[in-house]
Amino acid sequence: MLSNPSELVAKLLDIDEREFWRVCLPGAQLQGKDLSGVDWYGGNMSKACLDGANLQKAVLFQCKLTEASFKGALLTQACFRAADLRGAFFQGADLREADFVNANLTNANLAGADLRGADLSGAKLNEANLCGAILDGAKIPGKVVNNQGIPFNPTWRIYHWEGLRFRSKNEIEIAKALDEAGVLFLPLCLARLNTPTGRRNLEPDFLVCHHGKWGLMEVDGPYHTPLTRVDEQERERFFQHHGIRVIQRFDAKSCEDKPHEVVREFLQLIEKMH
């Protein structure tokens, strides 16, 4: 019987377990493997495929993991401290309480990853993709405690209008049009609501109250693609279960070019609710 995870992986790869800590595995195919608790201190796994692997509490301290793939992997409490993760793929990975202190995540893809409680203090996040990532309780470099206009990606520009924060100029145009319409609206504010996996924070673009009825308005920019539509529909259902009956999406160009027409159409939809 193998005594520890490092010995297990060494056996799988025909490597002396005593030398495993410094093994080089560039391009290794380890998708779906159970590698929980393994210690890869200082190893080289650039371009390795670990999609769907179990790496709970794994230690990958100072590892070279450039362009490695961890899509859908289980990485809770994994240690990536000071690791080189440039261009790595973490889409949909479970990274709760993971340690990324001083890691290099330049150009890494963390879209849809669960980063609740993760520590990214000192991490480099230049051009990293955090679209749709769950960041509740995460320590993000330069993160300001604010539940309005959350900068999901630290490289994205934040725009300001009337003391509020926005991620695009077309969102500001919609805010101005809603303001002129005299309605109550909450722009880019985190909402706390029920989901099948428990209570969660979600951020709608605009939550609008008109004649005592609530509607949700989304501005679809370049990050909204057919590939993200399934996740967006799931988010919309969460709000519908809480009684938000009108949920409408508008493309960014229409919102910027004719914001008053967009707002007028949206408010008419709310008025038609019975």
Side-chain angles (χ1 to χ4, degrees), residues 35-184:
L35 310 173
S36 54
V38 74
D39 187 346
W40 256 313
Y41 176 83
N44 179 356
M45 290 181 289
S46 58
K47 297 186 178 181
C49 180
L50 294 123
D51 294 348
N54 180 357
L55 285 152
Q56 291 186 86
K57 298 184 179 180
V59 177
L60 299 106
F61 181 72
Q62 290 187 341
C63 281
K64 183 175 182 180
L65 296 157
T66 51
E67 298 183 43
S69 185
F70 298 90
K71 296 175 184 176
L74 182 57
L75 296 157
T76 53
Q77 298 182 347
C79 177
F80 290 96
R81 186 172 287 235
D84 186 351
L85 292 156
R86 289 173 295 168
F89 302 92
F90 289 97
Q91 294 100 310
D94 187 343
L95 291 159
R96 287 173 295 169
E97 300 182 27
D99 183 349
F100 286 99
V101 173
N102 296 327
N104 189 345
L105 286 156
T106 300
N107 289 315
N109 193 334
L110 293 136
D114 189 344
L115 286 156
R116 284 176 288 182
D119 191 349
L120 292 94
S121 304
K124 294 180 181 179
L125 290 163
N126 299 334
E127 303 299 326
N129 182 1
L130 287 161
C131 184
I134 306 173
L135 300 170
D136 301 6
K139 295 180 182 179
I140 308 293
K143 183 178 179 181
V144 177
V145 179
N146 191 314
N147 74 331
Q148 197 275 322
I150 302 298
F152 293 120
N153 186 323
T155 66
W156 292 349
R157 179 176 176 181
I158 296 295
Y159 298 84
H160 295 83
W161 173 79
E162 295 292 341
L164 299 168
R165 307 197 305 182
F166 300 87
R167 286 190 289 273
S168 65
K169 292 181 178 179
N170 42 56
E171 289 174 345
I172 292 179
E173 293 304 314
I174 291 297
K176 290 178 179 178
L178 287 166
D179 209 44
E180 292 180 25
V183 297
L184 166 65

Side-chain angles (χ1 to χ4, degrees), residues 2-13 15-21 23 34-41 59:
L2 299 177
S3 60
N4 60 60
S6 295
E7 187 180 352
L8 168 62
V9 180
K11 183 73 173 178
L12 288 171
L13 300 170
I15 297 167
D16 185 341
E17 195 271 331
R18 291 168 297 178
E19 299 294 315
F20 186 76
W21 67 274
V23 73
D34 184 358
L35 310 173
S36 54
V38 74
D39 187 346
W40 256 313
Y41 176 83
V59 177

Side-chain angles (χ1 to χ4, degrees), residues 183-241:
V183 297
L184 166 65
F185 68 97
L186 289 76
L188 282 75
C189 282
L190 287 178
R192 188 76 175 164
L193 71 169
N194 293 326
T195 74
T197 57
R199 299 287 288 179
R200 181 176 164 187
N201 294 346
L202 289 174
E203 185 194 88
D205 288 349
F206 292 94
L207 193 56
V208 180
C209 183
H210 181 50
H211 295 332
K213 303 171 184 176
W214 289 89
L216 193 155
M217 184 179 187
E218 294 287 337
V219 179
D220 284 352
Y223 297 102
H224 296 271
T225 67
L227 294 176
T228 65
R229 187 61 188 128
V230 173
D231 291 336
E232 291 164 355
Q233 287 175 329
E234 184 180 31
R235 280 169 34 99
E236 291 166 7
R237 286 197 300 275
F238 297 157
F239 283 97
Q240 287 170 336
H241 284 303

